[in-house]
């Protein structure tokens, strides 16, 4: 999609030093696990979304959902790490449907 192509172009033109620093500080490997806290989450329902081609996050969502009794996991077909950019129409329809229930 045009949005995905624009995102790739922005990344390509990015400052490699700044990108490396962002990955060191903000990457998933640096973030603490909230799995235990999620098990106590009292939300009526939770939507966990990942792009179907991002198998790491599809697996993470499955593991997270196993600790949350009211979690719904969905994989967006035709998307990788950024389903909201790669498949915006499908992602929006999914979120809209989830929020309207």
């Amino acid at each position: 999609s045009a949005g995905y192509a624009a995102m790739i172009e922005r990344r390509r033109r990015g400052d490699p030093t700044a990108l490396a620093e962002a990955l060191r500080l903000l990457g998933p490997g640096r973030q603490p696990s909230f799995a235990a806290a999620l098990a106590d989450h009292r939300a009526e329902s939770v939507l966990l979304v990942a792009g179907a081609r991002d198998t790491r996050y599809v697996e993470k969502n499955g593991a997270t959902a196993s600790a949350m009794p009211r979690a719904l996991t969905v994989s967006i077909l035709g998307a990788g790490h950024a389903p909201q950019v790669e498949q915006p129409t499908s992602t929006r329809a999914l979120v809209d449907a989830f929020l309207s229930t």
Side-chain angles (χ1 to χ4, degrees):
S1 76
Y4 182 69
M7 178 187 72
I8 295 300
E9 180 59 23
R10 281 192 308 276
R11 287 182 180 177
R12 189 185 64 73
R13 288 182 285 143
D15 175 11
T17 303
L19 176 58
E21 185 69 11
L23 289 173
R24 270 193 298 280
L25 296 173
L26 304 171
R30 298 282 302 177
Q31 298 173 8
S33 173
F34 294 104
L38 291 173
D40 291 332
H41 196 273
R42 302 281 187 243
E44 187 171 314
S45 57
V46 175
L47 177 64
L48 302 170
V49 179
R53 293 190 313 239
D54 189 348
T55 55
R56 182 174 178 188
Y57 278 87
V58 169
E59 290 172 11
K60 283 183 175 280
N61 281 355
T64 300
S66 68
M68 302 178 74
R70 292 177 294 274
L72 170 65
T73 61
V74 179
S75 299
I76 303 290
L77 296 176
H81 191 65
Q84 73 282 6
V85 175
E86 299 168 56
Q87 296 294 332
T89 304
S90 298
T91 303
R92 181 180 179 145
L94 171 69
V95 172
D96 285 346
F98 176 79
L99 293 175
S100 68
T101 59

